[in-house]
Amino acid sequence: MQSNNRSMISHTKTNIIISDCSDFTLIQYVATKVDGIAAFYQISNVSSGECFFACFNSTGCYTFSYDAGNHNCRLYTGCGASCNLIEDNAFTTYVRECAPTLSGGTRRIISGIVLFKLLNMSHRP
């Protein structure tokens, strides 16, 4: 995976949602989708924020892919945070790592409630 397709968003505990991984770093892989495993759940006509919340509220979901053009969301539980990714310009894949990685490289770090506000600003047509 090339580093120019990757950015990170950090999150700290809040009282908004309960998850099995509430302290995490969200890694964004632009122009990629999960390969070799079927999505455990697919949602149509949603925003990227709604897709994130669906994954965050699903035990074992650490990876999701979002198709912004068609507003489709794919949630994955079978590969944890280690899904095999392939290039696909229609999708952006997000991986939630439970142990935050905050050192080295060029990363976009946003913490706390700001993350939820940014994801909720994604609107459907």
Side-chain angles (χ1 to χ4, degrees):
M1 187 64 47
Q2 294 182 356
S3 62
N4 63 347
N5 284 352
R6 179 179 166 143
S7 63
M8 291 191 167
I9 299 172
S10 177
H11 171 272
T12 56
K13 287 182 182 178
T14 68
N15 293 326
I16 297 173
I17 297 173
I18 297 182
S19 172
D20 58 334
C21 175
S22 58
D23 287 325
F24 62 88
T25 299
L26 186 65
I27 305 170
Q28 177 186 57
Y29 295 95
V30 177
T32 63
K33 70 177 182 179
V34 174
D35 183 44
I37 187 168
F40 90 94
Y41 194 67
Q42 294 187 51
I43 310 167
S44 298
N45 198 28
V46 295
S47 70
S48 60
E50 291 168 318
C51 188
F52 167 78
F53 283 117
C55 183
F56 193 76
N57 282 324
S58 299
T59 301
C61 183
Y62 299 97
T63 302
F64 64 95
S65 293
Y66 183 71
D67 177 352
N70 294 312
H71 307 283
N72 291 324
C73 172
R74 297 178 182 176
L75 308 179
Y76 298 90
T77 58
C79 51
S82 302
C83 297
N84 185 42
L85 303 179
I86 61 171
E87 189 173 325
D88 188 321
N89 289 330
F91 288 90
T92 298
T93 297
Y94 299 85
V95 177
R96 183 167 47 119
E97 290 185 351
C98 293
T101 307
L102 302 176
S103 62
T106 303
R107 297 176 180 171
R108 181 175 167 204
I109 306 297
I110 302 172
S111 63
I113 197 71
V114 174
L115 168 65
F116 296 101
K117 288 183 180 178
L118 283 174
L119 289 172
N120 278 330
M121 288 180 2
S122 300
H123 297 289
R124 294 178 293 211

